[in-house]
């Protein structure tokens, strides 16, 4: 392209893309080819061959020439049953819960309103809030155990009056469940909506579903991603039907594609297999936690999710992640992601042999 065309384009980008969008970085996903992939909280297990055959058979009759069922009614019923959503709740399906996070931020509060979440927490809340011209406010978690700091949090809520508050339960990337007492205090105090993001509910066996009926400002977010269906992109928001009806106005038509509808319905009809895999991951998480506790130079925190947060000695975090990668294992580097996460990495619980490879790579890397 000629220099003058380049200049013309650069001028238009500077003039038309808002500064807060230009200042963002796209959500980074590391290249995992050839590596043991322990960076994205995926379930490491595939389906037994006979299940895969039955699934492919089920796909045979699916017409991709037609738009999907706009309400995904069959899948909606299947998800409600699998996740024990209260009958009185309304449900909104999203193309991943990420899409629902974006929809919530677009729908609630409007431009200039405040989105609140503790720090550190799931990166998407701040990313979408900033990209859409909302003001993102956060309060640090407790530096030792990542619990909510109720006084500072309630003070910030009082001062900034967030339209929307996100509480990941358990929290990503710290893995802990916040105390229900602190959660209730926030629900009581906030003038806005509180979204409890239960992406890791299958591992934590804790939920705010039972609070939906008595809380006018509570919505609960779920996903099938961490359960073993990350590739399908399917999330669920549950809440009072009046809230769901408002939010549904912003949902793009046909957001759940036909292959996802059929496949998720099929997979959840064999929920026992996903549950068995989940139980296995919980046992392996506890085993990996014990093994990491035995390493004297690192720190690891207990987790209610399918990952562990690990801290290496001061100043070694990023280099250790790089060396672990040279040993063939990909984990998520969190060094620099938040002041509270210096020298931290997040490792997803994989298959036993993958977890063993991680421990070996970590040991070799910290002693190097
Ligand atoms: C992984 C994750 C999500 C995103 O889930 P998708 O349904 O895959 O978009 C949402 N919230 C938290 C806290 C997560 O860790």
């Amino acid at each position: 392209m000629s220099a003058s065309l380049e200049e013309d384009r650069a001028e238009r980008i500077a003039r038309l893309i808002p500064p807060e969008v230009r200042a963002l970085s796209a959500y980074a996903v590391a290249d995992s080819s050839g590596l043991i992939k322990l960076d994205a909280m995926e379930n490491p297990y595939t389906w037994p061959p006979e299940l895969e055959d039955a699934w492919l058979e089920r796909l045979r009759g699916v017409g991709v020439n037609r738009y999907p069922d706009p309400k995904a009614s069959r899948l909606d019923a299947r998800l409600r049953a699998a996740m024990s959503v209260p009958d009185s709740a309304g449900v909104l399906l999203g193309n991943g819960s990420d899409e629902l996070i974006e929809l919530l931020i677009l729908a609630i509060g409007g431009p200039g309103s405040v989105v609140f979440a503790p720090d550190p927490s799931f990166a998407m809340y701040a990313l979408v809030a900033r990209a859409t011209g909302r003001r993102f406010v956060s309060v640090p978690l407790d530096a030792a155990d990542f619990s909510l700091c109720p006084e500072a949090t309630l003070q910030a809520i009082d001062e900034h009056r967030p339209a929307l508050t996100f509480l990941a339960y358990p929290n990503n990337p710290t893995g802990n469940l916040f105390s229900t007492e602190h959660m209730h205090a926030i629900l009581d105090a906030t003038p806005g909506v509180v979204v409890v993001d239960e992406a890791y509910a299958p591992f934590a066996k804790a939920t705010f579903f039972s609070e939906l009926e008595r809380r006018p400002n509570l919505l609960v977010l779920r996903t099938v991603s961490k359960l073993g269906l990350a590739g399908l992109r399917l999330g669920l928001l549950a809440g009072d039907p009046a809230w769901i009806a408002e939010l549904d106005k912003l949902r793009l038509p046909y957001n759940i594609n036909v292959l996802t509808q059929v496949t998720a319905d099929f997979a959840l009809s064999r929920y026992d297999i996903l549950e068995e895999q989940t139980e296995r991951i919980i046992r392996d998480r506890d085993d990996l936690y014990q093994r990491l506790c035995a390493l004297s130079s690192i720190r690891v925190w207990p987790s209610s999710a399918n990952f562990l947060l690990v801290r290496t000695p001061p100043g070694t975090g990023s280099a250790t992640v790089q060396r672990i990668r040279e040993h063939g294992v990909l984990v998520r580097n969190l060094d620099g992601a938040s002041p509270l996460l210096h020298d931290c990495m997040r490792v997803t619980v994989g298959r036993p042999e993958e977890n063993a490879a991680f421990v070996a790579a970590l040991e070799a890397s910290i002693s190097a």
Side-chain angles (χ1 to χ4, degrees):
M1 196 181 272
S2 75
S4 67
L5 281 176
E6 293 265 14
E7 242 173 65
D8 180 325
R9 184 184 52 197
E11 184 278 322
R12 283 172 207 255
I13 287 176
R15 182 162 44 86
L16 296 171
I17 304 285
E20 60 270 26
V21 175
R22 271 182 286 137
L24 294 172
S25 307
Y27 186 82
V29 178
D31 178 15
S32 60
S33 41
L35 299 173
I36 294 176
K37 193 171 184 318
L38 301 179
D39 66 328
M41 282 79 86
E42 293 146 328
N43 171 331
Y45 298 105
T46 51
W47 294 350
E50 58 282 6
L51 191 68
E52 191 169 292
D53 286 345
W55 167 49
L56 293 173
E57 198 50 45
R58 179 77 183 75
L59 285 178
R60 199 180 286 283
V62 172
V64 292
N65 56 320
R66 301 290 181 195
Y67 282 109
D69 171 0
K71 295 215 169 305
S73 308
R74 192 180 161 127
L75 176 58
D76 180 291
R78 181 76 77 184
L79 279 165
R80 281 172 174 276
M83 294 186 174
S84 307
V85 178
D87 289 339
S88 58
V91 158
L92 190 67
L93 302 188
N95 187 355
S97 50
D98 284 349
E99 187 187 46
L100 294 167
I101 291 168
E102 182 185 66
L103 190 153
L104 284 159
I105 292 174
L106 288 172
I108 294 175
S113 64
V114 170
V115 175
F116 178 84
D119 179 71
S121 192
F122 186 44
M124 205 54 64
Y125 311 142
L127 186 90
V128 178
R130 294 195 175 110
T132 55
R134 272 61 174 168
R135 208 151 62 77
F136 182 75
V137 172
S138 68
V139 164
L141 294 171
D142 182 275
D145 66 2
F146 303 114
S147 59
L148 286 164
C149 298
E151 270 166 43
T153 302
L154 293 179
Q155 197 187 325
I157 286 171
D158 190 44
E159 183 184 340
H160 299 286
R161 309 196 56 80
L164 196 51
T165 294
F166 286 98
L167 296 171
Y169 184 78
N171 191 38
N172 173 10
T174 55
N176 56 313
L177 285 166
F178 298 132
S179 100
T180 50
E181 189 193 327
H182 294 166
M183 303 269 289
H184 285 293
I186 291 171
L187 277 156
D188 286 337
T190 178
V193 170
V194 177
V195 177
V196 176
D197 182 347
E198 300 185 340
Y200 301 95
F203 307 96
K205 304 188 181 355
T207 178
F208 271 70
F209 272 161
S210 62
E211 290 293 316
L212 281 174
E213 279 224 63
R214 67 186 103 144
R215 293 273 183 193
N217 62 342
L218 172 65
L219 297 169
V220 175
L221 196 57
R222 290 282 187 97
T223 176
V224 299
S225 294
K226 280 60 189 220
L227 191 61
L229 304 172
L232 295 182
R233 310 305 301 127
L234 178 64
L236 171 159
L237 184 75
D240 187 275
W243 274 121
I244 299 297
E246 292 303 322
L247 297 167
D248 194 36
K249 297 170 188 173
L250 257 73
R251 184 177 61 85
L252 295 176
Y254 313 116
N255 63 330
I256 311 301
N257 77 72
V258 67
L259 298 177
T260 294
Q261 289 194 29
V262 169
T263 304
D265 178 52
F266 172 82
L268 294 170
S269 76
R270 296 304 312 278
Y271 197 62
D272 55 316
I273 291 178
L274 299 177
E275 264 183 323
E276 208 178 286
Q277 294 176 344
T278 299
E279 292 307 317
R280 161 106 239 203
I281 293 165
I282 291 171
R283 286 198 302 274
D284 291 339
R285 171 192 74 200
D286 296 344
D287 184 52
L288 179 59
Y289 174 76
Q290 292 304 336
R291 280 208 262 171
L292 292 171
C293 282
L295 303 183
S296 56
S297 56
I298 64 131
R299 169 107 205 252
V300 59
W301 282 265
S303 168
S304 298
N306 63 341
F307 59 84
L308 292 166
L309 185 70
V310 175
R311 173 173 284 153
T312 57
T316 65
S318 294
T320 307
V321 169
Q322 181 53 34
R323 271 189 237 114
I324 290 172
R325 190 193 172 105
E326 283 154 18
H327 282 88
V329 182
L330 184 64
V331 297
R332 181 79 168 181
N333 184 11
L334 296 172
D335 200 8
S338 154
L340 266 60
L341 295 175
H342 69 86
D343 300 299
C344 284
M345 68 185 82
R346 187 190 62 202
V347 56
T348 305
V349 180
R351 296 166 181 263
E353 63 276 18
E354 295 176 320
N355 303 336
F358 165 70
V359 174
L362 176 65
E363 279 191 283
S365 301
I366 45 184
S367 60

